[in-house]
Amino acid sequence: MRALALRFLVVAVLVGAWELLPRAAIVNANFLTPASVVADSLWRQIASGEIDRHVLVSLERILYGLGLSVIIGVPLGLATGSFKTFDGAVDAPLQAGRQVSAIALFPVFILFFGIGEMSKVMIILWASVWPVILNTTAGVKGIDPILIRSARSMNAKGVTLFRKVILPAAAPSIFTGIRLGAAYAFMVLVAAEMIGANAGLGFLVLHSQEIFKIPEMYAAIVALALLGLAFNKLLLLIEHSATAWRDAAGH
Amino acid sequence: MYFSGNGAVEQSLRIDKLTKRYAVKDAAGPIVALDAISLTVGKGEFIAILGPSGCGKSTLLHIIAGLVSADGSVVAHGKTVAGPGFDRGLVFQDYALFPWRTVLENVAFGLEIKKVPANAREPIAREHIAAVGLAGFEHRYPSQLSGGMKQRAAIARALAYDPEVLLMDEPFAALDAQCREILQGELLRIWEKTGKTVVFVTHSIEEAVFLAQRVVVMTARPGRIKQVVDIDLPAGRAAGDVRSSPQFAALRHLIWELLAEEVDKTAEGFLARPAPEARTRRSLFGLLSAAVSREGG
């Protein structure tokens, strides 16, 4: 109860400062819009449906990018986690690849895929696939070998062993990777939408700033944060329903 | 059901000159874990394999299970073992239950792999869960069970796909004394009811004498069969207080003497064998547990 009150207090102080600093003219109100004005702007854009288009476009890019990350990253991680030789063979490119900033690669993606949706999906894919691969690999490597031995003693092998033992055993770690990937996806989404886009929350942030609609700019930033939070919550819900056995243990 | 060793009874397992070598880094040559083990187990027989830690008794069990390869041969029910099979069920010390599966789903695992139709799996699983006294706990996850209950579930899982041999790798070693005695009694009851062949690995002399019809005493590394001791205790042992009988004490002492020599070998210099008059059962167990903790079981 006290912890909850403390959390509320911290948020109240931060929002209060955001409201009062520009109002008291300590910070230029042209640069920092008071919280209440931002909230009002966001509410008007939601009520009028203006923001829907941007939210949907951003969400679509995230879903495609992150979806591809899962489709590519989970099997790759399962393979690197399970087969030592394969892990050794691809370790160097994987380690190098994750060090290459997705933003640095954006010009390359534009060169190959043009300025349309494809290059945006690719940059999100690049940013989010690494934590998916690495966490899946770690999840597989961390499986208690006795579980594998036990399954093998009951004649489980090949695809069955993967599906019935390795995948569920690594699932908690895989989900952690996907949630990390989603966080990275949202980060690069904004950068991608600032270049050559005419819709999306990232576009809305930059565009509002360019036409000096500062409250709208802050509203778009807040909308991005809320969307990211909601997305993470959704992933957590999926994770909990898929690994309900962990709740049973009181984790 | 009693096996005389003369081959008159149908064979369940025939182990012939089984040798296992491990290549170890920084060692001059391979380490010999098992050295020419030959043993025949009759159908429906209960045998215990007893030995100091590191004697390769668990390795032997895993070779029989088909999880580990070795030189020599294991013939199970007329067929040479080349890998795991549904004719052999393995029970581990650490239960090895799948934490994401309920008791019911764990017990049904082998049935799924065996491709038993989905609607037939549940009744079979429930029957075996009830047989180990876990009725009512079908929908619990392993994390919600005590150690004893987990091992009951693991035994039900191994029995559910109806193997002919139950291979048990120190299944009760992690349980407290009371729980262990209860489960020993239940295991005998299940064995008498199902007529399964049981190969039971343990480092407890009491447990081996109480459970088995024959106790295979192994030597310290390299693991060889030192002696096979027939346990001719009265029938219906599960019921009476057989542990207090003079025959039980005599057998325990006989095996204790066999094993003590082997424990000394593994205990090396710093754990000197106590003077004969000071040698109590406790000191042997002290040595055993020291050897266990030193070699990590």
Side-chain angles (χ1 to χ4, degrees):
Chain A
M1 207 49 217
R2 275 188 58 173
L4 198 71
L6 197 66
R7 278 169 75 171
F8 185 78
L9 187 74
V10 169
V11 173
V13 167
L14 287 173
V15 175
W18 182 4
E19 180 70 27
L20 292 176
L21 287 174
R23 292 223 182 267
I26 298 168
V27 178
N28 187 339
N30 288 327
F31 299 158
L32 182 66
T33 315
S36 60
V37 180
V38 173
D40 181 59
S41 166
L42 182 61
W43 177 246
R44 271 189 290 107
Q45 289 185 76
I46 292 169
S48 69
E50 262 174 82
I51 207 166
D52 292 0
R53 181 170 69 101
H54 300 291
V55 171
L56 286 177
V57 165
S58 290
L59 210 52
E60 197 181 320
R61 288 169 183 151
I62 292 279
L63 285 177
Y64 277 123
L66 191 63
L68 280 173
S69 279
V70 173
I71 290 169
I72 294 168
V74 172
L76 198 58
L78 289 176
T80 51
S82 308
F83 309 112
K84 249 192 196 126
T85 331
F86 183 70
D87 187 31
V90 299
D91 185 58
L94 286 184
Q95 294 301 334
R98 62 187 271 244
Q99 296 302 328
V100 178
S101 154
I103 309 220
L105 282 178
F106 199 35
V108 179
F109 291 142
I110 290 174
L111 212 58
F112 274 92
F113 306 110
I115 204 140
E117 290 305 298
M118 188 64 164
S119 55
K120 293 178 183 62
V121 170
M122 289 306 292
I123 188 179
I124 291 168
L125 165 65
W126 186 273
S128 59
V129 78
W130 307 108
V132 176
I133 296 172
L134 294 172
N135 278 278
T136 304
T137 306
V140 174
K141 283 184 179 169
I143 297 175
D144 187 348
I146 203 167
L147 293 182
I148 309 284
R149 234 175 293 152
S150 161
R152 287 216 303 126
S153 81
M154 288 181 274
N155 241 349
K157 51 190 162 228
V159 179
T160 313
L161 187 65
F162 259 93
R163 201 164 51 82
K164 286 186 187 287
V165 182
I166 294 175
L167 200 58
S173 188
I174 294 172
F175 277 112
T176 304
I178 294 173
R179 278 192 291 113
L180 261 171
Y184 290 150
F186 270 92
M187 277 187 227
V188 297
L189 168 82
V190 180
E193 288 181 339
M194 284 181 174
I195 302 164
N198 51 21
L201 287 171
F203 160 79
L204 191 60
V205 172
L206 190 69
H207 182 70
S208 304
Q209 190 258 2
E210 281 167 351
I211 58 174
F212 218 69
K213 282 182 158 176
I214 302 306
E216 279 78 0
M217 180 190 81
Y218 280 111
I221 292 172
V222 171
L224 265 170
L226 293 177
L227 191 65
L229 278 175
F231 199 79
N232 189 55
K233 193 80 195 164
L234 178 76
L235 289 177
L236 273 175
L237 279 174
I238 297 171
E239 181 176 338
H240 277 290
S241 65
T243 58
W245 56 274
R246 295 172 84 212
D247 300 330
H251 281 288
Chain B
M1 199 174 277
Y2 181 67
F3 179 68
S4 58
N6 60 11
V9 179
E10 203 183 331
Q11 279 178 1
S12 177
L13 296 171
R14 200 177 71 238
I15 297 158
D16 195 29
K17 295 194 201 73
L18 214 57
T19 298
K20 179 69 189 173
R21 295 182 188 87
Y22 285 108
V24 178
K25 241 189 230 172
D26 306 327
I31 287 188
V32 181
L34 293 172
D35 188 17
I37 302 275
S38 292
L39 182 70
T40 308
V41 184
K43 197 166 189 303
E45 194 185 4
F46 197 132
I47 75 157
I49 297 176
L50 185 70
S53 69
C55 74
K57 54 193 191 293
S58 289
T59 307
L60 175 59
L61 205 66
H62 286 197
I63 293 168
I64 300 172
L67 292 175
V68 175
S69 63
D71 301 327
S73 72
V74 178
V75 176
H77 320 103
K79 271 199 266 176
T80 302
V81 167
F86 290 117
D87 58 331
R88 287 150 287 143
L90 185 57
V91 175
F92 297 84
Q93 179 182 336
D94 305 319
Y95 329 119
L97 294 169
F98 304 118
W100 58 89
R101 284 178 168 241
T102 60
V103 169
L104 190 65
E105 291 163 345
N106 262 290
V107 174
F109 185 88
L111 300 170
E112 289 172 28
I113 307 295
K114 206 177 176 182
K115 301 217 160 51
V116 173
N119 55 353
R121 292 201 288 258
E122 190 172 326
I124 297 173
R126 281 184 184 275
E127 180 195 320
H128 285 94
I129 291 167
V132 297
L134 275 185
F137 293 94
E138 286 88 352
H139 299 294
R140 294 279 190 98
Y141 286 100
S143 59
Q144 298 168 307
L145 302 177
S146 69
M149 290 162 94
K150 282 182 200 166
Q151 198 52 283
R152 284 168 192 265
I155 292 169
R157 182 174 64 174
L159 286 170
Y161 53 92
D162 199 25
E164 288 172 70
V165 189
L166 206 51
L167 305 169
M168 309 185 84
D169 190 5
E170 307 201 33
F172 307 145
L175 305 176
D176 63 73
Q178 233 179 332
C179 192
R180 192 180 312 141
E181 273 198 20
I182 293 168
L183 277 175
Q184 285 167 355
E186 297 232 351
L187 177 63
L188 279 186
R189 189 179 53 74
I190 289 167
W191 169 66
E192 276 161 7
K193 206 175 123 196
T194 60
K196 303 274 183 215
T197 308
V198 180
V199 180
F200 191 103
V201 163
T202 179
H203 62 255
S204 158
I205 300 170
E206 285 236 355
E207 186 168 66
V209 173
F210 178 71
L211 290 172
Q213 294 173 303
R214 282 195 299 158
V215 174
V216 178
V217 180
M218 291 185 63
T219 63
R221 185 172 292 160
R224 294 192 186 101
I225 293 180
K226 188 181 177 85
Q227 195 168 326
V228 180
V229 181
D230 286 327
I231 307 295
D232 45 359
L233 289 170
R237 287 168 298 145
D241 182 17
V242 70
R243 287 183 181 89
S244 307
S245 69
Q247 296 106 301
F248 190 93
L251 284 164
R252 192 179 61 200
H253 182 71
L254 171 70
I255 294 170
W256 184 92
E257 294 239 284
L258 289 170
L259 204 53
E261 300 168 20
E262 297 308 317
V263 173
D264 284 354
K265 282 191 217 161
T266 63
E268 288 162 4
F270 71 97
L271 275 171
R273 191 178 187 176
E277 63 271 22
R279 261 196 277 142
T280 59
R281 210 177 98 225
R282 173 176 298 226
S283 75
L284 173 67
F285 281 112
L287 284 172
L288 273 174
S289 60
V292 165
S293 60
R294 206 161 46 83
E295 304 202 3

